[in-house]
Amino acid sequence: MDLKNRILLLLTATVVAIGCQAAMASKKPPEPSMAKCVASARVWDITFKHELASFMGVSLDRVPAIFCQRIFEGVRTGRIGFSDVNAIQLSQPTEIWMVIKGKPKEPPVTHSLPPRSSRFRNCSGIDGSFQVPISQKCPLSGWANH
């Protein structure tokens, strides 16, 4: 079984466990589930732990705790959800890999307007912002006529 499939199984079990825990509306603190996750991760076979340690960039002895911590934090913050589990199964892009690696969430791409000029008007369009001469109005369609 390759690394992707193993992580998928672990992730599915973890997301389901955390989802069930959230549904219980905080009747139990999250520490017992984290302890269960770490305990189950300690019994993974050594080859898988080596692969995961290399992928995560941590030492072999820290893999169980860091893996569980990152997964729990990803679910808690909303970076990981059931849709991510489906995305892995369909070999689609997902942020799970960035969470497991410990990478921060990338900021959203923003389209900034070009600097104002007295000779041009800033307009927003379908493909982003653009400028038209000040004598013209911004087109309603969002397309610039050149």
Side-chain angles (χ1 to χ4, degrees):
M1 189 182 297
D2 66 343
L3 180 64
K4 176 184 162 187
N5 290 335
R6 289 179 182 205
I7 288 180
L8 174 63
L9 291 173
L10 296 169
L11 184 63
T12 303
T14 304
V15 169
V16 168
I18 293 172
C20 292
Q21 181 179 340
M24 295 175 64
S26 72
K27 291 183 180 179
K28 290 190 219 173
E31 289 79 20
S33 295
M34 178 71 83
K36 288 179 186 176
C37 177
V38 172
S40 67
R42 288 188 203 277
V43 297
W44 295 339
D45 69 72
I46 194 70
T47 304
F48 177 61
K49 281 195 225 180
H50 276 287
E51 291 173 351
L52 202 51
S54 175
F55 179 76
M56 293 171 56
V58 298
S59 64
L60 189 62
D61 59 328
R62 296 186 63 209
V63 167
I66 299 296
F67 177 83
C68 293
Q69 177 187 355
R70 289 178 181 173
I71 294 296
F72 272 68
E73 186 65 17
V75 171
R76 187 188 67 75
T77 61
R79 285 182 71 188
I80 297 177
F82 290 108
S83 61
D84 292 300
V85 175
N86 292 334
I88 288 179
Q89 291 173 331
L90 299 172
S91 295
Q92 296 174 340
T94 176
E95 197 166 325
I96 289 174
W97 307 114
M98 298 301 282
V99 171
I100 293 171
K101 279 188 162 246
K103 302 287 184 185
K105 187 173 184 173
E106 293 182 13
V109 176
T110 58
H111 296 285
S112 61
L113 292 173
R116 286 196 76 93
S117 169
S118 60
R119 296 183 2 212
F120 293 96
R121 178 186 315 269
N122 291 331
C123 301
S124 295
I126 296 169
D127 295 331
S129 60
F130 59 93
Q131 292 181 331
V132 295
I134 199 74
S135 60
Q136 295 180 8
K137 291 185 178 181
C138 291
L140 295 177
S141 67
W143 292 97
N145 296 329
H146 296 298

